[in-house]
Amino acid sequence: MKLSLRGVDIYPGFLTIEAQEAMLADLRQVVRQAPFFQPVTRFGQPLSVRMTAAGKFGWISDRGGYRYADRHPQGQSWPAIPASVLTVWTELSGCQRAPECCLINLYRDAARMGLHQDKDEADVTCPVLSISLGDDAQFRVGNVEKGGKTESLWLRSGDVAVMGGAARLAYHGVDKIRPGSSSLLDGGGRINLTLRVVT
Ligand code: SIN
Ligand code: MN
C-alpha cells in the first residue's frame, strides 16, 4: 500500500517486525563504532534529537554550524550503511545512485524536529528516503515555499517515507513522538533513518 501526504509517498508497514529487528541489530553495530552524539546549534543550543550516521557522509551540527562531514565528531570515519538499509533504498528510491549518507536520529521523550527543508544536497533528482523504527511520530509536511498549509500523519515502526519529485524540497518535520507506543528499541523512543545522495 502507498499513501501520499502532500506529494510525499508513505509506505505503511513496509518492514515486517522481523526486518525491523534485523535492521536494528545492524544499527547497534553502527552505533558501537559511531556513538550517538548531542548536536548543538551554532549558538550552543542542544537539538532535542541525538544523532549519528553511516555512509560516506554524516550530518553534524555544532558551534561551527551545520554541514555534511566525512567523520564522526570523535574523528573516526562513519561505518558503512548496512545492507538491510540499502535494500530499502534499492526497492523504493527509484534512483540509480547509491545513498551517501544514512543519518540516524534518536528521538526520546519530548524530542521533535522543527519544519525544515533538506536542501544541502547537490543532486536533488534523488529522493530523501526515511525509515521509522520504534515509537510513533507525528510527521508534518508543508510546501516547497515557507508557510502555507501543512498536513500531518502518524508514522509507525516499519513505515517508509519517500520525499522525491515535487516534494523533494518540501518543508517537513516531526511534531512529537508517542513515548511508549512501541517496544522495539531498548530504552524506548524512535529511530529515524534518512538516506540521501549528497554530492
Ligand atoms: C528529518 O527530516 O530529518 C527527520 C524526519 C523524521 O524523523 O521522520
Ligand atoms: Mn529532513
Side-chain angles (χ1 to χ4, degrees), residues 16-53:
T16 62
I17 288 286
E18 293 74 24
Q20 295 169 45
E21 280 167 354
M23 192 177 283
L24 204 56
D26 291 342
L27 293 172
R28 280 193 203 101
Q29 298 298 324
V30 169
V31 171
R32 199 161 297 163
Q33 298 168 63
F36 281 108
F37 59 91
Q38 178 70 71
V40 297
T41 67
R42 68 196 164 93
F43 308 109
Q45 292 278 51
L47 305 195
S48 60
V49 293
R50 291 201 290 145
M51 288 183 177
T52 188

Side-chain angles (χ1 to χ4, degrees), residues 116-118 172 194 196:
H116 66 279
Q117 289 173 296
D118 287 11
H172 61 281
T194 40
R196 308 193 186 98

Side-chain angles (χ1 to χ4, degrees), residues 30-31 33-41 46-54 57-63 65-69 71-76 78-79 102-107:
V30 169
V31 171
Q33 298 168 63
F36 281 108
F37 59 91
Q38 178 70 71
V40 297
T41 67
L47 305 195
S48 60
V49 293
R50 291 201 290 145
M51 288 183 177
T52 188
F57 300 104
W59 193 89
I60 63 176
S61 182
D62 59 21
R63 285 284 191 166
Y66 61 82
R67 61 203 175 273
Y68 281 107
R71 287 178 182 275
H72 186 280
Q74 291 171 355
Q76 67 276 39
W78 305 101
C102 173
L103 179 65
I104 306 170
N105 285 328
L106 176 63
Y107 295 75

